[in-house]
């Protein structure tokens, strides 16, 4: 393996996470991710995948270790975490769209309030993003009038509206009916083609095989194994084999 | 069809019960030998008083197209009266200075209406302060800062654990004396501090009913805590808390009647004063109740409209 640190955009080193209730969710996890790389994280339920992803934008603080995003230390008290979060978009399993705003309102809200863009500019950009995710016709719908797949695509557009350098996806298709999974994965694939740095927690092995530059396997709070997709899926690591045997 | 006729039957039962209750009141008043004098009530709500317009100079009167014009004998500007209720001169009459020309009726607002206005003022001003107090106390209640949280809990428990009447006396006699507050200010202070404690609890439960994912999504987009609260959490909580808020606002209007004990002439105190001058207590209190109902009814109607408007995103 080559030394990637010089061009890596995310450097997570020796991360420990112990929840207030004593649950030891991350044990000495280290991962470097390069600019433009797509990393897929898989692992059994409760293995700490979401916890790890959420430490990368500090929705979860860490108990020990260091994280640098684009050379900014997240553990440094002087770091303005809101600035870092502008650079790191996140897409949730349960969409978390703002129900009181239309699709366009969801996408334009943060650029208006955080980046102080004029409404007309933010809405113009928002319309283009919604067009890009295939929702040109649905801009003025409220989330309650959109299907799950449409809601998740709005959520992706909403994160992209802040022009992030990194996108985090936490099981973006797990809450979707099977027939809607494809439309969301297609949007993610096209994002990957455009060179977005992506960290994706998913159970979609097809997506991992096709799009990932690297696949990471986590179990019981540990990062067990990371490899390119070809080597990953042909590996004979016993813990990985056991997991793949269960899900495939 | 079967269902339909059943519903109709029960609606008829309702109407019958209401009529029965009305008759009960009537019979009750008969049995204590009470003479109803409803005609005495309207003048306390609104009344008219005639004033006489007199000629300012010697001259002659002409009536033209419903207007009374008095031209002066000495070249003063003519007097034109466009509106009058009772004409006391006829066309071509000679008039002298001080002669009555016409009667004009002025509308006067009666004491009950003044009381209603005072109740409305008290309620509206208290409502504004109560919402501000309640919003901050509610946010402090769920703050991670223990000082803020305990302060808020103490405030809420103190206020909810004591009667409003006692609080009004404390505000008027103690705080009012120390800070030299007038009656109205003391009354507003007591009402807003009281209602604020209940609104704080409504705000707290409203915010806590919003899924934590909303806050996470807002923060992950780079909003700070205040931006996320103002743009994402509070608008949703607002919509959800409208029904309990409406109830609280209606309570505020009704609770405002208690400030009459510190001699603020609100609707209730006005009612007491009118009773002592009319000796028609039944009519007056029914009229007062009706006036409160008009206020609270208008408020709940307005809030229902607002709820409808906000339901666009459901
Ligand atoms: N807020 C929390 N407080 C306490 N413990 C938590 C919290 N969130 C997660 N955990 C615990 O941390 C461990 C890792 O949870 P995490 O959600 O990161 O797993 P995951 O790999 O994402 O699982 P899943 O596939 O089910 O989403 C689990 O044992 C979980 O019970
Ligand atoms: Mg998870």
């Amino acid at each position: 393996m080559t030394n990637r640190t010089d061009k890596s955009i995310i450097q997570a080193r020796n991360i420990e996470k112990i929840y207030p209730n004593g649950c030891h969710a991350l044990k000495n996890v280290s991962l470097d991710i390069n600019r433009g790389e797509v990393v897929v994280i898989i692992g059994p339920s409760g293995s700490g995948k979401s916890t790890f992803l959420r430490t990368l934008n500090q929705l979860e603080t860490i108990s020990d270790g260091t994280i640098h995003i684009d050379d900014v230390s997240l553990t440094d008290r002087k770091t303005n975490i809101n600035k870092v979060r502008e650079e790191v978009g996140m897409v949730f399993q349960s969409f978390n769209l703002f129900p009181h705003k239309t699709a366009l309102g969801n996408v334009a809200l943060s650029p208006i309030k955080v980046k102080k863009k004029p409404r007309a500019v933010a809405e113009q950009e928002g319309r283009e993003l919604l067009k890009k995710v295939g929702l040109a016709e649905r801009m003025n719908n409220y989330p309650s009038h959109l299907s799950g797949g449409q809601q998740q695509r709005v959520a992706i557009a909403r994160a992209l509206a802040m022009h992030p350098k990194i996108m985090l996806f936490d099981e973006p298709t797990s809450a979707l009916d099977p027939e809607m999974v494809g439309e969301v994965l297609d949007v993610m694939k096209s994002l990957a083609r455009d060179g977005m740095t992506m960290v994706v927690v998913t159970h979609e092995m097809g997506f991992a095989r096709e799009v990932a530059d690297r696949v990471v396997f986590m179990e019981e709070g540990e990062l067990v194994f990371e490899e390119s997709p070809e080597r990953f899926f042909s590996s004979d690591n016993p813990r990985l084999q056991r997991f793949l045997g269960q899900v495939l | 069809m079967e269902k339909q006729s059943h519903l109709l039957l029960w609606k008829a039962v309702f109407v019958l019960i209401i009529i029965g209750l009305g008759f009960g009141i009537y019979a009750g008043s008969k049995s204590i030998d009470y003479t109803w004098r409803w005609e005495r009530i309207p003048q306390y709500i609104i009344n008219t008083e005639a004033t006489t317009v007199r000629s300012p100079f010697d001259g002659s009167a002409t009536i033209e197209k419903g207007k009374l014009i008095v031209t002066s004998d000495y070249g003063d500007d003519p007097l034109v009266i466009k509106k009058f209720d009772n004409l006391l001169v006829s066309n071509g009459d000679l008039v002298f200075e001080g002669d009555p020309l016409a009667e004009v009726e002025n509308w006067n607002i009666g004491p009950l209406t003044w009381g209603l206005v005072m109740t409305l003022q008290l309620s509206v001003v208290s409502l504004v302060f109560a919402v501000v107090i309640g919003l901050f106390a509610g946010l402090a209640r769920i703050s991670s800062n223990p000082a803020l949280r305990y302060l808020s809990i103490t405030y809420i428990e103190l206020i909810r654990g004591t009667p409003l009447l006692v609080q009004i006396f404390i505000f008027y006699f103690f705080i009012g004396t120390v800070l030299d507050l007038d009656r109205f200010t003391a009354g507003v202070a007591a009402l807003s501090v009281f209602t604020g404690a209940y609104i704080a609890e409504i705000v707290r439960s409203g915010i806590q009913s919003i899924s934590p994912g909303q806050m996470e999504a807002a923060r992950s987009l780079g909003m700070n805590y205040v931006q996320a609260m103002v743009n994402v959490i509070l608008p949703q909580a607002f919509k959800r808390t409208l029904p309990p808020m409406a109830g609280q606002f209606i309570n505020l209007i009704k609770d405002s009647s208690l400030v009459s004990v510190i001699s603020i002439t609100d609707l209730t105190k006005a009612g007491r004063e009118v009773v002592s001058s009319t000796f028609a207590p039944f009519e007056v209190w029914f009229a007062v109740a009706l006036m409160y109902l008009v206020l609270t009814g208008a408020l709940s109607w307005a809030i229902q409209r607002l709820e409808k408007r906000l339901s666009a995103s459901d």
Side-chain angles (χ1 to χ4, degrees), chain B residues 205-220:
Chain B
S205 68
I207 291 175
Q208 285 179 338
S209 75
I210 307 297
S211 107
Q214 291 290 312
M215 185 51 124
E216 290 181 351
R219 298 304 301 272
S220 78

Side-chain angles (χ1 to χ4, degrees), chain A residues 103-112 115-133 139 154 156-164:
Chain A
L104 185 58
N106 267 273
V107 177
L109 182 65
S110 225
I112 293 171
K115 296 216 155 152
K116 311 289 177 204
K117 286 192 185 173
R119 177 172 294 275
V121 175
E123 290 191 341
Q124 188 49 42
E125 285 189 23
R127 275 190 280 272
E128 254 136 54
L129 280 167
L130 285 170
K131 221 173 280 169
K132 206 173 131 189
V133 299
M139 308 219 213
V154 174
I156 295 174
R158 177 177 70 175
L160 291 176
M162 295 301 282
H163 300 296

Side-chain angles (χ1 to χ4, degrees), chain B residues 144-211:
Chain B
S144 54
N145 179 329
L148 284 176
R149 203 168 57 238
Y150 294 145
L151 269 175
S152 172
I153 293 174
T154 310
Y155 159 64
I156 293 170
E157 293 307 321
L158 271 184
I159 295 301
R160 298 206 306 177
T162 51
L164 174 57
L165 193 55
V166 174
Q167 289 170 27
I168 290 173
F169 283 134
I170 292 177
F171 264 93
Y172 182 55
F173 290 112
F174 178 65
I175 302 176
T177 314
V178 173
L179 299 178
D180 195 24
L181 302 180
D182 61 71
R183 290 171 205 290
F184 185 80
T185 316
V188 164
L191 283 174
S192 21
V193 166
F194 177 79
T195 307
Y198 288 87
I199 292 184
E201 280 295 283
I202 295 174
V203 168
R204 178 193 63 76
S205 68
I207 291 175
Q208 285 179 338
S209 75
I210 307 297
S211 107

Side-chain angles (χ1 to χ4, degrees), chain A residues 49-51 93 170-171 201:
Chain A
K49 309 179 297 290
S50 300
T51 306
Q93 177 175 351
D170 191 357
E171 304 199 28
V201 174

Side-chain angles (χ1 to χ4, degrees), chain A residues 217 231-248:
Chain A
F217 175 60
R231 291 209 228 157
F232 186 90
F233 289 107
S234 55
S235 149
D236 51 10
N237 181 310
R239 289 167 87 178
L240 177 59
Q241 282 300 323
R242 188 153 28 104
F243 173 67
L244 288 179
Q246 280 162 8
V247 295
L248 290 180

Side-chain angles (χ1 to χ4, degrees), chain A residues 19-21 23-25 43-52 60 93 170-171 201 203:
Chain A
Y19 279 108
N21 66 358
C23 178
H24 200 161
S45 179
S47 57
K49 309 179 297 290
S50 300
T51 306
F52 176 66
E60 235 38 277
Q93 177 175 351
D170 191 357
E171 304 199 28
V201 174
H203 295 301

Side-chain angles (χ1 to χ4, degrees), chain A residues 54 57 59 82 85-86 88 90 92 96-100 109-110 113-114 116 142 144-145 158-159 162, chain B residues 211-225 227 231-233 235-236 239 312-314:
Chain A
R54 290 157 58 86
N57 66 353
L59 282 183
N82 297 320
R85 285 176 179 150
E86 289 181 36
V88 185
M90 187 166 211
F92 302 84
N96 294 345
L97 287 184
F98 306 138
H100 61 302
L109 182 65
S110 225
K113 299 297 175 186
V114 179
K116 311 289 177 204
Y142 284 96
S144 54
H145 295 176
R158 177 177 70 175
M162 295 301 282
Chain B
S211 107
Q214 291 290 312
M215 185 51 124
E216 290 181 351
R219 298 304 301 272
S220 78
L221 287 164
M223 288 187 218
N224 61 34
Y225 180 81
Q227 287 170 330
N231 297 303
V232 175
I233 307 297
Q236 295 180 53
K239 191 170 134 187
S313 61
D314 287 341

